Amino acid sequence: MSRYAYVNGRYLPQDQASVNIEDRGFQFADAVYEYFAVFDRKLADAKGHFDRLDRSLSELSMPQPMSRPALRMVIGQLLRLNRITDGAVYLQVSRGVAKRDHPFPDPAPLPTLVLTTKPVDFTALDAKAAKGVSVITQPDNRWGRCDIKTVGLLPNAIAKTRAKAAGAEEAWLVDDLGLVTEGASTNAWILDASGTLRTRDTQANILHGITRATLIEHLKDQCIPFSEKPFTVEEAKQAREAFLTAASAFVLPIVKIDEVIIGNGRPGPLSLRLRSLYMDAARRSAS
Ligand code: PLP
């Protein structure tokens, strides 16, 4: 089956799709992105992801590549072309093509818009969640604006590479105070020793995860004690449970941090409950 990508107004077989070598996304990582989970051809947490895209663009003074309804039409068409039922959409907007020079070009070029899709095997993801995954800890050496979802992901890629080499799923990043900020591509959560669910606050230098925000909304309905108080690596290692959240993983239980087994080494009951709660709600509200 031939896979199509969308690039600046054209649907092309993915192996023929390309952007200009002077694109600022390529030259300077001057680009932002979003990743949407797709349930039954519909986007999970669509509003949250589109709102965050708008914010990323506006923080970098980049124009919208097209209106939200137009973007939704293009995404719908690409999902149909690629026959995606359950999967993901990757969307990237760069500042566009300009002669290589650091300052933002004036006048601004047209932004570059690239969209791709992929099928995702949700059954395989469920199997991974049923077993739980491990994470390693790594220093957080990223820039100071991790709230903007840019494609400047080299520190994240290095941390993930180290995680992979250690046989782990993810790297939890740790700031200069020894506090966990987030994962290299996920948000970090623990159920601490006293039974409070904790994840880092969004005043910290982290991405404002959409899965994180949706889950917090559900926690309110479930009356689960919750706090955005930062936690240390030590607290995480002594936690009753740990898990990560992301549109690419939903809620994924963690059973090992570095060499320390969490709880009894199996996914915690609250993590599994929150996973099924999130999955059901995301599926129901996908649009
Ligand atoms: N933190 C980082 C650094 C990420 O890259 C991501 C997702 O790409 C997340 C957290 C999770 O965010 P979301 O739930 O919006 O996918």
Side-chain angles (χ1 to χ4, degrees):
M1 186 177 73
S2 145
R3 251 214 270 158
Y4 287 86
Y6 174 91
V7 185
N8 292 334
R10 299 167 72 198
Y11 299 89
L12 298 162
Q14 197 157 314
D15 56 2
Q16 290 166 35
S18 60
V19 293
N20 192 303
I21 58 166
E22 292 273 49
D23 193 280
R24 287 184 61 93
F26 176 60
Q27 295 286 350
F28 297 107
D30 189 358
V32 302
Y33 75 106
E34 274 302 328
Y35 178 101
F36 302 80
V38 177
F39 286 90
D40 199 16
R41 300 183 190 85
K42 292 188 285 245
L43 303 181
D45 290 331
K47 182 176 183 311
H49 286 281
F50 281 120
D51 286 352
R52 185 173 62 188
L53 174 66
D54 289 353
R55 181 175 178 278
S56 296
L57 289 168
S58 124
E59 289 295 307
L60 295 173
S61 310
M62 273 191 216
Q64 301 282 344
M66 59 176 70
S67 69
R68 196 176 292 194
L71 209 42
R72 274 190 167 270
M73 269 180 48
V74 172
I75 291 172
Q77 175 65 1
L78 195 61
L79 288 171
R80 276 189 294 279
L81 272 176
N82 288 335
R83 299 200 179 95
I84 303 288
T85 306
D86 290 339
V89 174
Y90 178 84
L91 176 161
Q92 184 169 325
V93 184
S94 88
R95 195 177 304 277
V97 176
K99 186 169 159 298
R100 192 181 189 284
D101 193 14
H102 285 66
F104 295 170
D106 184 15
L110 283 177
T112 298
L113 172 61
V114 173
L115 285 155
T116 53
T117 66
K118 64 173 182 184
V120 174
D121 182 352
F122 286 164
T123 312
L125 264 183
D126 284 343
K128 192 187 263 191
K131 230 172 123 216
V133 298
S134 55
V135 301
I136 60 163
T137 54
Q138 288 285 297
D140 191 342
N141 53 14
R142 301 172 299 162
W143 75 321
R145 290 302 309 271
C146 294
D147 57 307
I148 308 174
K149 196 166 169 67
T150 79
V151 303
L153 292 170
L154 190 53
N156 310 55
I158 292 169
K160 280 271 195 197
T161 303
R162 290 187 180 143
K164 191 175 172 191
E169 177 78 12
E170 176 60 303
W172 273 12
L173 306 176
V174 182
D175 68 16
D176 292 345
L177 299 172
L179 299 164
V180 175
T181 51
E182 61 181 331
S185 66
T186 59
N187 287 111
W189 298 68
I190 59 167
L191 177 65
D192 72 14
S194 71
T196 300
L197 202 50
R198 283 158 71 182
T199 191
R200 193 72 189 259
D201 63 283
T202 50
Q203 305 306 310
N205 184 32
I206 64 166
L207 185 74
H208 304 179
I210 304 304
T211 319
R212 172 193 181 284
T214 302
L215 192 62
I216 290 172
E217 279 306 307
H218 293 310
L219 293 179
K220 290 180 191 148
D221 305 335
Q222 301 285 316
C223 303
I224 295 168
F226 165 68
S227 161
E228 292 184 306
K229 184 166 169 239
F231 54 86
T232 62
V233 173
E234 232 18 74
E235 282 177 294
K237 288 180 178 173
Q238 283 162 20
R240 294 185 193 173
E241 298 187 25
F243 61 88
L244 56 83
T245 56
S248 57
F250 311 122
V251 176
L252 189 57
I254 290 167
V255 293
K256 196 166 86 167
I257 301 175
D258 293 329
E259 288 316 311
V260 177
I261 301 290
I262 304 305
N264 61 8
R266 290 200 296 275
L270 182 63
S271 309
L272 290 173
R273 187 176 134 209
L274 293 178
R275 178 179 173 83
S276 73
L277 194 146
Y278 175 81
M279 295 294 280
D280 290 348
R283 206 178 276 284
R284 263 199 321 275
S285 64
S287 60

